[in-house]
């Protein structure tokens, strides 16, 4: 141990480790992580960099639990655009907006239960999902298709269904991003978003899904790094006693685990620093500190542990508050361990309608039902050119996960070609690449990217037979000889769109 914690009580040091949720690099557990688990670290966060297959993931989680059987293994697996299990291929499950578009809570519950069973089978028992944010600003750069929709009641009923489905598989749900990240036009990975609405609006819109999730028994809630002056004019939600203790604990009556969003995100790191931010978050009422999306090393864990111990010693962080937070983490670890030992793994969505790959059946059914198809020309019979107009990926989704429908369409239509076009690409290049092939223009949130809308205008003027597939939030009017809105860019959404285009 470092000089700082030498002389501190073993209980204090263990509690400081217990509340941390770090990540690591590589596909096997490093020695330093295993040592810290032995010393009291109770949670580990997994990301796409840690996963190559279900078999490898299962071996990894087993190795972690060889150190202690109650370690919480967490993951950011929303399905849809945000996948870690299938980061290299794209998800077998559509995301929230697709499910909200169908608006069948039983289907959402079944999808979440199937996803939960797959996580549980791999040894993952804590999922940082679902996003309960009401997507009230369609230009939101970070939520979008991760939200069930813009209607608070719709978002609430699907949040409940998702929580129930996931937890029926013994995987703890984490409803996020409290008190609501949907009315922001800034990505908190880069800067501090600000939501300037009054209390009445917050209660009638943003808080509706969270109230429902709490009533449904969500095992955890994740805080948002956003400033809401109507609730606290000075501190972002993650660091605000008024919001975490006053609103979430006292007013809404939530008793489960409160976990922060990633503390290395710039909304916190560039303003407060991760050490001071972590101290303030725990003092405000958070119970677990999520870190490791970008910082994934032993030094970070030790810095945060020492900062918490020092804060207790100086009186900035009451020792009983740290002890209470650690107790909540251990309580959740005990719940997940009891489910691994024989809890309910049946629940809704047990049957897979088709296919053998995990999630393929119910995921494909959901993706098909979510499609919105405008126009009805005959199916494509010859090769096409898939022109993917590619925006810069936000950090939450990442840029390593493939999206679109090029491979699926090429498999069905031999001779089909693909091209990726950024904001500086001229439409003439698309036409040259396409030749005589039918152009299938694939876009993502075209309403948020003027260059993308302009490219579509020029392409449709030159080739009116162009097919348009929108794989983001569908706000712009439908156009093209055929327009398909998939309401998400997961692999399974591309499969469903390719089926329509080929008449399958």
């Amino acid at each position: 141990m470092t000089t700082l914690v030498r002389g501190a009580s073993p209980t204090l040091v263990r509690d400081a480790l217990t509340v941390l949720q770090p990540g690591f690099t590589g596909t096997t557990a490093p020695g330093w992580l295993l040592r810290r688990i032995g010393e009291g670290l109770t949670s580990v966060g997994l990301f796409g960099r840690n996963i190559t297959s279900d078999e490898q993931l299962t071996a990894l989680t087993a190795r972690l639990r060889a150190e202690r059987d109650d370690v919480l293994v967490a993951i950011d697996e929303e399905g849809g655009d945000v996948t870690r299990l299938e980061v290299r291929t794209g998800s077998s499950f559509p995301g929230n907006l697709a499910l909200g578009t169908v608006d069948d809570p039983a289907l959402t519950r079944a999808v979440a239960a199937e996803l939960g069973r797959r996580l549980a089978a791999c040894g993952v028992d804590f999922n940082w999902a679902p996003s309960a944010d009401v997507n009230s600003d369609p230009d939101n750069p970070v939520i979008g298709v991760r939200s069930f929709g813009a209607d608070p009641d719709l978002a609430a009923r699907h949040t409940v269904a998702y929580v129930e489905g996931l937890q029926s598989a013994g995987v703890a749900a984490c409803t996020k991003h409290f008190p609501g990240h949907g009315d922001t036009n800034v990505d908190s990975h880069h800067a501090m978003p600000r939501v300037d609405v009054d209390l009445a609006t917050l209660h009638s819109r943003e808080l509706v899904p969270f109230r429902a999730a709490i009533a449904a028994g969500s095992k955890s809630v994740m805080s948002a790094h956003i400033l809401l002056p109507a609730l606290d004019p000075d501190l972002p939600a993650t660091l605000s006693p008024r919001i975490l203790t006053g609103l979430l604990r006292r007013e809404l009556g939530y008793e489960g685990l409160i976990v922060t969003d990633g503390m290395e995100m710039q909304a916190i790191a560039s303003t407060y620093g991760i050490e001071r931010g972590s101290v303030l978050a725990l003092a405000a009422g958070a119970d677990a500190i999520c870190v490791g999306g970008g910082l994934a090393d032993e030094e970070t864990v030790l810095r945060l542990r020492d900062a918490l111990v020092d804060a207790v010693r100086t009186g900035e962080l009451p020792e009983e508050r740290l002890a209470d937070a650690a107790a909540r983490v251990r309580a959740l670890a005990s719940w997940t361990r009891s489910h691994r030992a024989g809890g309910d793994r049946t629940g809704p969505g047990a049957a897979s309608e088709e296919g053998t790959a995990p999630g393929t059946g119910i995921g494909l059914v959901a993706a098909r039902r979510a499609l919105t198809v405008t126009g009805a020309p005959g199916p494509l019979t010859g090769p096409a050119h898939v022109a993917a107009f590619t925006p810069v990926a936000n950090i939450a989704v990442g840029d390593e996960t493939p999206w679109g429908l090029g491979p699926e369409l090429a498999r069905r239509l031999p001779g089909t070609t693909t091209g990726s076009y950024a904001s500086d690409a001229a439409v003439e290049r698309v036409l040259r690449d396409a030749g005589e092939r039918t152009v299938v223009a694939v876009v993502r949130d075209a309403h948020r990217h003027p260059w993308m809308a302009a490219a579509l205008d020029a392409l449709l003027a030159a080739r009116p037979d162009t097919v348009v597939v929108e794989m983001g939030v569908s706000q712009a009017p439908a156009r093209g000889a055929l327009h398909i809105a998939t309401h998400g860019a997961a692999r399974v959404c591309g499969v469903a769109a390719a089926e329509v285009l080929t008449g399958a």
Side-chain angles (χ1 to χ4, degrees):
M1 294 183 182
T2 65
T3 302
L4 177 61
V5 300
R6 189 176 296 129
S9 73
T11 298
L12 174 57
V13 175
R14 178 172 286 270
D15 284 350
L17 278 173
T18 296
V19 301
L20 302 180
Q21 293 188 348
F24 62 96
T25 57
T27 55
T28 58
W32 70 261
L33 182 65
L34 299 176
R35 288 194 303 274
R36 300 307 170 187
I37 290 173
E39 294 173 4
L41 186 68
T42 307
S43 306
V44 176
L46 300 181
F47 299 86
R49 63 178 180 242
N50 304 122
I51 300 168
T52 59
S53 68
D54 285 5
E55 294 74 20
Q56 171 269 328
L57 177 57
T58 303
L60 171 59
T61 59
R63 181 66 188 92
L64 295 172
R65 292 205 172 92
E67 294 300 316
R68 55 181 296 178
D69 64 356
D70 67 342
V71 67
L72 280 167
V73 181
I75 199 168
D76 193 5
E77 181 60 47
E78 298 176 14
D81 291 28
V82 181
T83 180
R84 312 308 178 203
L85 286 178
E86 299 178 280
V87 67
R88 292 165 178 79
T89 61
S91 182
S92 299
F93 302 91
N96 284 4
L97 184 59
L99 295 171
T101 298
V102 178
D103 196 12
D104 179 354
L107 178 66
T108 297
R109 191 175 296 108
V111 168
E114 184 68 20
L115 177 58
R117 271 188 292 275
R118 180 171 175 187
L119 290 170
C122 294
V124 177
D125 54 8
F126 186 16
N127 191 10
W128 293 318
S131 291
D133 308 289
V134 178
N135 200 45
S136 43
D137 183 350
D139 290 333
N140 192 312
V142 69
I143 301 300
V145 297
R146 301 168 65 198
S147 166
F148 289 111
D151 178 80
D153 292 330
L154 179 145
R157 60 180 171 265
H158 288 279
T159 296
V160 167
Y162 197 106
V163 167
E164 291 174 345
L166 194 63
Q167 293 186 171
S168 75
V171 176
C174 184
T175 305
K176 62 186 184 185
H177 306 79
F178 184 83
H181 209 309
D183 193 19
T184 60
N185 56 16
V186 172
D187 184 345
S188 51
H189 291 87
H190 301 297
M192 182 74 75
R194 180 185 175 104
V195 179
D196 286 304
V197 297
D198 57 30
L199 279 175
T201 300
L202 287 169
H203 279 274
S204 65
R205 190 177 67 186
E206 270 72 23
L207 294 179
V208 171
F210 291 97
R211 286 197 197 93
I214 291 167
S218 181
K219 291 296 179 182
S220 68
V221 168
M222 178 178 282
S223 66
H225 304 330
I226 57 176
L227 191 67
L228 300 101
L231 294 172
D232 189 329
D234 302 314
L235 293 170
T238 294
L239 311 183
S240 171
R242 295 185 191 178
I243 294 175
L244 296 190
T245 298
L247 176 60
L248 184 53
R249 288 281 187 225
R250 294 174 184 159
E251 186 174 343
L252 300 185
Y254 182 64
E255 298 180 354
L257 185 80
I258 300 175
V259 58
T260 71
D261 206 343
M263 297 301 284
E264 71 272 25
M265 294 165 62
Q266 291 305 300
I268 299 296
S270 66
T271 307
Y272 300 91
I274 63 168
E275 294 97 332
R276 175 150 180 77
S278 296
V279 170
L280 291 174
L282 281 166
D287 304 304
I289 303 298
C290 177
V291 65
L295 299 171
D297 53 61
E298 184 175 23
E299 180 186 355
T300 298
V301 172
L302 296 181
R303 283 166 50 203
L304 293 177
R305 179 202 64 183
D306 293 358
L308 298 178
V309 170
D310 189 42
V312 170
R313 284 174 156 176
T314 61
E316 184 177 13
L317 176 63
E319 187 167 2
E320 59 270 22
R321 170 78 274 272
L322 178 61
D324 173 65
R328 291 181 191 274
V329 173
R330 295 182 190 116
L332 182 58
S334 178
W335 181 86
T336 59
R337 179 174 56 182
S338 69
H339 279 70
R340 285 198 308 276
D344 176 21
R345 294 292 175 84
T346 57
S352 182
E353 287 85 347
E354 51 193 283
T356 57
T360 298
I362 193 66
L364 184 54
V365 168
R368 287 170 175 162
R369 290 182 62 186
L371 296 180
T372 302
V373 181
T374 305
L380 300 176
T381 56
H385 179 68
V386 180
F389 293 94
T390 307
V392 176
N394 70 60
I395 295 175
V397 176
D399 57 8
E400 70 271 37
T401 305
W403 70 283
L405 53 80
E408 291 298 330
L409 206 55
R411 187 168 64 83
R412 291 169 169 81
L413 297 175
T416 290
T417 56
T418 62
S420 181
Y421 305 92
S423 57
D424 58 351
V427 170
E428 288 74 17
R429 179 186 152 204
V430 178
L431 297 174
R432 183 173 63 250
D433 292 348
E436 298 302 314
R437 299 177 183 86
T438 300
V439 177
V440 178
V442 183
V443 296
R444 203 171 181 177
D445 293 345
H447 70 283
R448 290 202 304 112
H449 304 286
W451 69 268
M452 201 179 291
L456 278 183
D457 287 340
L459 188 56
L460 288 167
R463 295 283 293 270
D465 63 338
T466 293
V467 173
V468 177
V469 180
E470 169 63 81
M471 302 193 80
V473 176
S474 185
Q475 286 289 120
R479 49 185 175 165
L482 176 67
H483 186 280
I484 302 174
T486 61
H487 309 289
R491 177 181 58 81
V492 73
C493 296
V495 172
E499 289 179 341
V500 169
L501 290 174
T502 58

